[in-house]
Amino acid sequence: MERLTEEKFWDDSYAGRQRAVDEGAAGRSLKARLKQTALYRAFHELERSYANHFVWNMLMPRYLPRGSQYKLVEVGSAPGHNLITFRRNQGYQVYGVEYTEHGVELNRRLFAEHGIDPAQVIHQDFFSDAFQRQYAGAFDVAFSDGFIEHFGDPAHVVGLHVNLVRPGGYVAIDIPNFRGMGGVLMRLMDPSLFEVHNLDLMTLEGFRQAFAHPELEPLYCGYAGTYNLKVLDNRDTPLKTLFTHARRVAQMGLDAALIRAGFGGYETAFFSPYLVYIGRRRAGA
């Protein structure tokens, strides 16, 4: 399996996040109190991304089951925020599989903070034969976010997701779209990160082909969201920091308008920041 990134790439990234979490621990209690205020909740509502709203509040509830009897695993799960969202929105029992030391530590720490057993973060390589044998058909939903585009053969990676769910279970996968506006800006802001993505996967046809698995029945396959510069949060120079803050202000008004306008209809190849697939493993598989 051709990996476009190495383990060190991800471990270094999660190590940086872990340091940030440790450094911010002193102010955590104050932040927790602020989150309970009406002013904070109002601001958080304004800052909500239409793209994330489309994925998490529209697509997932529409196509995935709901209930505490269902088990979901996220592939490449660190730091774990997606799993917390699934637990809150869909009621799932949530599990993660992560192969980096720092990623596992971050995810387990977040689980502990939310009253979830940290042992439900599995410290293994998703691609290992041992993992695939041990967890074959063990879950009702297999999910990954920004994962399969880091490999040269995404169809093979999709097949390994399928292996983890029971017949009748679900596969849900999203990736960034760097073929449009997001890619133009990513090249300018962070070219080294741009280079570790499989761009052939980021056309609608290329994305569909990755899911042409004989055991998968597609429920949704397409673009998600529109004009979301929040995928770029680069602050390593004063100019980029200024751009980031200006973008946040401009984005809030657009997102609020789109969320209130209803479900979908604004997705395009150039402007949409994500591609999303949701499908069901055929019951007879």
Side-chain angles (χ1 to χ4, degrees):
M1 167 56 57
E2 179 192 3
R3 303 186 187 223
L4 304 184
T5 59
E6 299 297 330
E7 182 175 354
K8 185 178 186 302
F9 174 90
W10 295 109
D11 207 42
D12 288 349
S13 172
Y14 294 133
R17 294 193 197 187
Q18 190 169 329
R19 284 193 298 272
V21 169
D22 292 338
E23 290 167 2
R28 192 173 296 154
S29 60
L30 175 60
K31 185 175 181 180
R33 289 196 297 271
L34 287 173
K35 284 185 176 181
Q36 302 306 313
T37 66
L39 182 62
Y40 179 90
R41 290 195 296 270
F43 179 78
H44 184 68
E45 178 68 18
L46 278 175
E47 207 181 24
R48 188 162 50 131
S49 157
Y50 163 73
N52 288 336
H53 172 78
F54 182 86
V55 173
W56 291 101
N57 298 333
M58 296 297 189
L59 289 183
M60 298 301 182
R62 173 174 284 199
Y63 295 110
L64 295 180
R66 187 188 301 263
S68 60
Q69 70 272 34
Y70 295 107
K71 293 182 178 180
L72 174 142
V73 63
E74 181 178 5
V75 179
S77 58
H81 297 296
N82 291 325
L83 293 168
I84 301 304
T85 301
F86 269 119
R87 183 175 184 245
R88 181 181 65 243
N89 290 1
Q90 306 286 116
Y92 293 157
Q93 302 171 51
V94 290
Y95 297 77
V97 54
E98 176 61 51
Y99 82 141
T100 67
E101 293 281 352
H102 286 105
V104 168
E105 172 61 24
L106 270 178
N107 202 155
R108 286 180 174 170
R109 183 183 299 188
L110 187 68
F111 268 23
E113 290 174 359
H114 285 82
I116 306 171
D117 184 355
Q120 290 176 207
V121 180
I122 304 162
H123 190 185
Q124 289 194 44
D125 186 346
F126 164 74
F127 291 97
S128 74
D129 291 338
F131 174 80
Q132 289 292 327
R133 284 195 303 269
Q134 182 178 356
Y135 291 98
F139 301 98
D140 301 288
V141 185
F143 169 76
S144 66
D145 171 25
F147 182 80
I148 69 169
E149 75 277 11
H150 294 291
F151 301 91
D153 185 1
H156 175 70
V157 185
V158 169
L160 296 179
H161 283 67
V162 176
N163 180 62
L164 298 182
V165 299
R166 59 171 175 78
Y170 297 80
V171 171
I173 292 174
D174 68 62
I175 66 170
N177 172 26
F178 291 150
R179 282 283 189 170
M181 174 180 285
V184 173
L185 293 170
M186 178 65 79
R187 273 194 178 103
L188 293 172
M189 302 287 285
D190 200 341
S192 62
L193 184 58
F194 180 83
E195 291 170 1
V196 298
H197 292 83
N198 182 345
L199 295 183
D200 292 337
L201 182 63
M202 296 179 185
T203 66
L204 189 55
E205 182 57 31
F207 192 63
R208 284 173 175 159
Q209 287 178 5
F211 295 92
H213 190 287
E215 296 181 16
L216 277 180
E217 172 192 358
L219 302 177
Y220 181 89
C221 183
Y223 294 104
T226 189
Y227 191 73
N228 183 13
L229 299 183
K230 290 181 180 179
V231 296
L232 301 173
D233 198 359
N234 191 318
R235 307 184 187 197
D236 62 358
T237 69
L239 182 60
K240 290 178 180 178
T241 299
L242 179 62
F243 171 80
T244 295
H245 290 309
R247 179 267 301 155
R248 280 176 178 260
V249 173
Q251 187 76 42
M252 283 194 296
L254 176 64
D255 284 336
L258 290 172
I259 288 170
R260 283 157 180 75
F263 177 77
Y266 316 105
E267 283 61 44
T268 67
F270 185 73
F271 286 114
S272 292
Y274 306 116
L275 285 147
V276 175
Y277 176 89
I278 302 173
R280 182 188 292 116
R281 185 175 186 182
R282 300 183 194 280

